[in-house]
Amino acid sequence: MTDRFEAHDYYLMDELLTEEQKLFRDSLRAWLKKDVSPIIEDYYERAAFPSQIIPGLGEYGCFGPYIPTEYGGAGLDQITYGLLMQELERVDSGVRSTSSVQSSLVMYPIWKYGSEEQKQKFLPKLATGEFIGCFGLTEPDHGSDPGSMVTNFKDMGDHYLLNGAKMWISNSPIADVAVVWAKNEAGRIHGILVEKGMEGFTAPEMHGKHSLRASITGELIFDNVKVPKENLLPGRSGLGAPLSCLDSARYGIAWGAIGSAMDCYDSALKYAKERIQFGKPIASFQLIQKKLAEMVTEITKAQLLTFRLGQLREEGRATTAQISMAKRNNVDMALKIAREARQIHGAMGITSEYSIMRHMANLESVITYEGTHDIHLLITGMDVTGIQAFS
Ligand code: TGC
Ligand code: FAD
């Protein structure tokens, strides 16, 4: 599939970006067009992960964009991080997912809560893609309510003994290291680094997904796994530790969803101008124009919301609730745009000649993971009323 994507910048948002930010975005976009777009549909159809793109993701700063360079990260600002996520998801949500998990859910907790030895051992290799990581929070019986997790570890004197299971874990079957959240004997949640090859640790792949097919998802099973004590993240405990990682990943998703929407809009606009029915391009009909006008309006609103959120994050002022609002709004917006774009493409919209249906199916995962659409609504509700309505 030739990638004909052109970015539309209705409110001249590029004028708000620095030359360096544009350079990072444009060079990543060019590489994705050349090396990733042409293969992604095939991998998606075969439900396989294109592992040959891993070194490229490392080179373009997509593993740990905002992690300091002393640990191998790209040392970039939050807006550039967002722009990278937008470009990746413009191609496929699964590609953005790989970068999100590696950066915000694996490198971030190690950088933020890890010991110096853990940082030196894992971060440089994660930054290049030599190591792949995964993040185990969700369990078969505990998704939206991770605080009720049952995965646990016992202090055996010279090591910890880990038992339990995690489910729906992006990249677990190919991961070299898993950041696993588990309870100690006092019921306190801690992060533990579980490494590939530890006895009693397996990570079987989950099959049968109709969404995010170019990303591998699996389980994490711990059957009396002996974990060295130095693998405990010493810097923070409690549910707030994994939730703080989610803040960073959800922010990236807010940008990423804009990428999917931009791709669907661009494809729909081109198709509407080229497709002739009743002797005219379908773009000349009012109902098609309504769809296109609403799409570009919603994308522009999401871009402005997310750009401001990026500024607040850069200043360390963005709240969890503000991030929830952007994740919820932008993913919902992208899903609606994918559906409208699909309609504009008529029957062609359901084929693999266009990226629309793949984006639409992918976004059904994105609207559920990292906190469901309704959980984010409840986070906003709690923020504005001061009353929590989760339980
Ligand atoms: P709650 O009582 O509200 O909070 C527990 C403790 O955590 C603190 N806290 C935070 N700390 C830092 N950052 C945040 N964002 C925080 N949010 C809360 C809070 O202050 C409290 O601290 P303390 O000291 O008082 O104990 O917790 P709750 O049990 O009521 O749950 C709240 C809820 C439902 C919002 C939360 O648990 C939640 O967000 N649920 C959704 C679960 C989720 O998002 N899972 C994602 C799994 S990872 C994933 O999906 C990866 S997909 C990857 C990909 O492929 O891209
Ligand atoms: P549930 O929590 O069972 O929710 C089911 C429904 O009930 C939802 O509509 C939800 O909104 C609603 N609901 C739940 N509680 C309430 C409430 N209090 N009030 C109102 N409605 C409520 N997890 C990881 O830890 N690591 C990963 O890498 C990871 N990758 C994933 C990749 C994919 C492709 C997918 C699909 C999921 C992934 N997840 C991962 C898991 C994801 O985070 C969970 O699916 C998500 O948190 C929701 O949990 P659940 O599926 O158990 O749904």
Side-chain angles (χ1 to χ4, degrees):
M1 186 173 70
T2 311
D3 188 344
R4 298 167 64 207
F5 174 73
E6 288 166 276
H8 303 270
D9 182 13
Y10 204 72
Y11 258 48
L12 311 182
M13 297 285 295
D14 265 18
E15 291 179 12
L16 302 177
L17 303 178
T18 64
E19 288 308 313
E20 198 191 20
Q21 288 166 341
K22 284 186 275 192
L23 192 68
F24 265 94
R25 179 198 61 191
D26 294 346
S27 49
L28 176 61
R29 184 179 292 167
W31 173 68
L32 290 167
K33 276 189 160 191
K34 182 169 72 68
D35 284 356
V36 185
S37 297
I39 61 166
I40 199 68
E41 194 68 51
D42 175 50
Y43 277 83
Y44 186 91
E45 282 183 23
R46 292 191 283 114
F49 173 66
S51 51
Q52 69 271 36
I53 71 172
I54 288 175
L57 290 172
E59 275 169 37
Y60 284 91
C62 300
F63 292 150
Y66 54 86
I67 300 292
T69 50
E70 63 177 300
Y71 295 115
L76 298 168
D77 64 275
Q78 288 292 312
I79 300 284
T80 314
Y81 161 42
L83 289 166
L84 297 184
M85 297 303 107
Q86 172 191 288
E87 293 308 309
L88 295 177
E89 194 146 4
R90 205 280 298 167
V91 173
D92 190 87
S93 304
V95 176
R96 196 267 309 133
S97 239
T98 294
S99 169
S100 291
V101 171
Q102 184 94 337
S103 305
S104 293
L105 301 182
V106 179
M107 294 177 74
Y108 177 83
I110 295 175
W111 170 55
K112 206 75 183 161
Y113 309 129
S115 65
E116 193 52 40
E117 291 71 31
Q118 291 166 346
K119 291 181 207 185
Q120 297 293 350
K121 178 175 174 185
F122 293 106
L123 292 179
K125 287 185 175 166
L126 287 162
T128 58
E130 187 183 337
F131 275 5
I132 291 295
C134 69
F135 177 89
L137 182 65
T138 305
E139 298 189 349
D141 295 329
H142 307 283
S144 298
D145 177 20
S148 299
M149 69 174 66
V150 293
T151 297
N152 64 88
F153 64 96
K154 288 197 175 94
D155 189 336
M156 306 302 282
D158 62 341
H159 65 270
Y160 296 120
L161 201 62
L162 180 66
N163 278 289
K166 301 285 175 179
M167 197 177 178
W168 291 113
I169 307 305
S170 298
N171 286 342
S172 76
I174 57 165
D176 301 282
V177 58
V179 176
V180 176
W181 300 95
K183 284 181 177 169
N184 67 9
E185 286 146 292
R188 185 85 182 158
I189 294 171
H190 287 264
I192 298 193
L193 304 176
V194 181
E195 296 173 67
K196 190 181 193 164
M198 285 182 170
E199 208 180 324
F201 170 42
T202 47
E205 185 172 350
M206 295 170 66
H207 297 283
K209 284 183 298 167
H210 285 285
S211 168
L212 225 73
R213 287 171 63 82
S215 157
I216 302 183
T217 315
E219 298 171 61
L220 294 172
I221 298 170
F222 313 108
D223 181 9
N224 285 321
V225 183
K226 281 185 181 176
V227 184
K229 284 198 151 173
E230 64 263 24
N231 280 29
L232 190 88
L233 294 178
R236 188 168 176 183
S237 64
L239 186 57
L243 292 181
S244 69
C245 307
L246 295 179
D247 275 0
S248 177
R250 290 166 177 172
Y251 166 72
I253 290 175
W255 278 92
I258 295 174
S260 294
M262 285 165 70
D263 199 48
C264 291
Y265 168 70
D266 179 57
S267 185
L269 183 62
K270 286 193 172 82
Y271 191 85
K273 287 180 179 172
E274 290 163 8
R275 175 74 178 163
I276 309 291
Q277 288 295 290
F278 300 96
K280 294 178 191 165
I282 59 170
S284 62
F285 301 124
Q286 285 185 353
L287 288 174
I288 299 284
Q289 289 192 7
K290 176 177 187 290
K291 286 186 183 9
L292 292 168
E294 285 176 352
M295 282 183 199
V296 73
T297 305
E298 290 307 315
I299 290 170
T300 304
K301 282 155 64 180
Q303 284 171 331
L304 289 164
L305 176 73
T306 314
F307 184 83
R308 176 62 184 146
L309 185 63
Q311 289 179 323
L312 291 174
R313 270 187 72 79
E314 194 58 25
E315 294 166 12
R317 292 198 293 142
T319 65
T320 294
Q322 286 168 337
I323 295 165
S324 279
M325 180 185 281
K327 191 268 185 186
R328 180 174 183 274
N329 179 78
N330 292 10
V331 178
D332 187 52
M333 171 280 296
L335 196 46
K336 285 179 178 146
I337 284 180
R339 287 175 185 145
E340 293 287 54
R342 218 287 304 145
Q343 294 215 48
I344 290 177
H345 286 75
M348 289 310 292
I350 70 159
T351 71
S352 55
E353 267 189 54
Y354 294 88
S355 49
I356 312 296
M357 197 77 190
R358 182 163 47 81
H359 282 306
M360 195 195 302
N362 280 340
L363 288 162
E364 291 291 348
S365 284
V366 183
I367 205 164
T368 289
Y369 67 35
E370 303 263 11
T372 68
H373 188 65
D374 286 347
I375 288 294
H376 288 296
L377 176 118
L378 293 175
I379 291 174
T380 307
M382 179 169 69
D383 196 49
V384 297
T385 64
I387 305 165
Q388 80 90 340
F390 299 112
S391 52

